[in-house]
Amino acid sequence: MNKAVRSAVIAGNWKMNKTPAETTALINEMKPLVADADCKVVLCVPFIDIPAAVEAAKGSNIEIGAENVHFKESGAYTGEVSAQMLIESGVKYVVVGHSERRQYFGETDQTVNLRTLAAVNAGLTAIVCVGETLEQRELGYTETLLKFQTKMALTNISADQLKNIIIAYEPVWAIGTGVTATADQANQGNGYVREAIAEVYGKAVAETVTVQYGGSMNAKNADELVAMEHVDGGLIGGASLKAPDFAAIVKAASK
Ligand code: 13P
């Protein structure tokens, strides 16, 4: 991390876990454990849990995010949720283009870009996910793919709007597998993302953008990962469902 030029952000991505009642209990357990964090602390939760999460996090340093957002303001899009709906519910962040959405729900680089634009234009901070599959890595396309996904996601985003963008490098082969990228692999992937931003917006701007690592990050490996120059925090799946584990990661990023 380089806290002198950019924010460190630890964000949980709860995926499809926790009911509203469980949300209240988990956030109440987390609050005292992360109260003295020297990084931003975010929990991205299922839509149905947002009211409970916002209520439980009130008065604390935990900010609430959603896990997806639709790109239209309103209309006949059954089952979808707009950026304005999220804003009015007290949401500040939203995960966009997670690999699970790309894999299971037909998310493309174009829809990731549209969702990113909708989120940022409404005043949300978008946590945009990019990452290669194992096959793409083994074929030697990691750099090409990460740069392509990053640039596609940021199409029509102004340099000024980058203040409200976080990119999360999540190698697909490291998500939920227990296989973490090594600190060097994470730093290299995050570095490719930063280079892609620099190629479009210039190096000075790219240095200010928070780039997280995600993929089996946990209480044990967090220290080593966040010590890397380009790893400005993490997007945490499984370990964000356990208060002590999540708090340990927050602590690692607070050093
Ligand atoms: P895990 O931490 O469970 O591997 O999930 C990472 C992730 O997908 C966060 O968005």
Side-chain angles (χ1 to χ4, degrees):
M1 294 185 295
N2 186 344
K3 285 190 187 173
V5 286
R6 48 189 182 257
S7 313
V9 183
I10 296 295
N13 172 13
W14 284 6
K15 308 191 179 184
M16 197 173 75
N17 291 293
K18 303 296 172 187
T19 65
E22 289 167 346
T23 296
T24 304
L26 182 53
I27 294 181
N28 282 337
E29 193 186 346
M30 281 180 179
K31 276 194 290 192
L33 303 181
V34 301
D36 58 359
D38 185 24
C39 64
K40 291 189 180 168
V41 182
V42 180
L43 292 173
C44 300
V45 305
F47 290 133
I48 196 75
D49 295 334
I50 287 170
V54 168
E55 182 60 30
K58 240 184 217 155
S60 80
N61 58 333
I62 298 175
E63 296 184 283
I64 301 305
E67 298 178 14
N68 193 17
V69 61
H70 198 258
F71 37 86
K72 295 286 188 179
E73 284 177 17
S74 63
Y77 301 100
T78 303
E80 294 296 319
V81 170
S82 75
Q84 200 53 41
M85 292 171 188
L86 295 178
I87 296 262
E88 277 194 38
S89 306
V91 164
K92 303 272 191 264
Y93 292 77
V94 62
V95 177
V96 174
H98 192 279
S99 63
E100 287 149 15
R101 296 219 57 90
R102 294 179 193 252
Q103 186 179 352
Y104 305 129
F105 302 102
E107 199 77 62
T108 65
D109 288 312
Q110 282 78 14
T111 57
V112 170
N113 172 238
L114 292 174
R115 291 181 206 277
T116 303
L117 280 165
V120 170
N121 286 335
L124 293 163
T125 293
I127 302 177
V128 182
C129 302
V130 298
E132 83 288 0
T133 62
L134 188 57
E135 189 188 15
Q136 289 161 339
R137 170 167 283 264
E138 286 173 346
L139 287 169
Y141 291 134
T142 302
E143 177 177 355
T144 309
L145 189 95
L146 291 182
K147 288 190 169 180
F148 182 77
Q149 285 186 343
T150 301
K151 289 178 186 178
M152 285 292 285
L154 298 179
T155 306
N156 295 325
I157 296 283
S158 70
D160 193 49
Q161 285 178 315
L162 282 182
K163 289 192 191 89
N164 293 322
I165 303 264
I166 293 170
I167 308 281
Y169 167 49
E170 298 207 313
V172 177
W173 47 272
I175 294 176
T177 57
V179 180
T180 319
T182 63
D184 284 333
Q185 284 172 325
N187 196 49
Q188 187 181 49
N190 284 30
Y192 292 147
V193 168
R194 200 177 307 288
E195 269 173 42
I197 300 170
E199 286 164 15
V200 180
Y201 300 92
K203 194 166 183 325
V205 171
E207 283 298 310
T208 65
V209 177
T210 296
V211 184
Q212 298 173 317
Y213 167 78
S216 299
M217 195 162 168
N218 58 40
K220 288 201 183 83
N221 59 30
D223 270 309
E224 199 190 352
L225 287 163
V226 299
M228 305 307 287
E229 162 74 16
H230 293 297
V231 180
D232 309 315
L235 186 56
I236 323 297
S240 72
L241 298 170
K242 295 183 195 117
D245 292 34
F246 187 66
I249 299 170
V250 168
K251 200 170 169 194
S254 298
K255 285 179 186 156

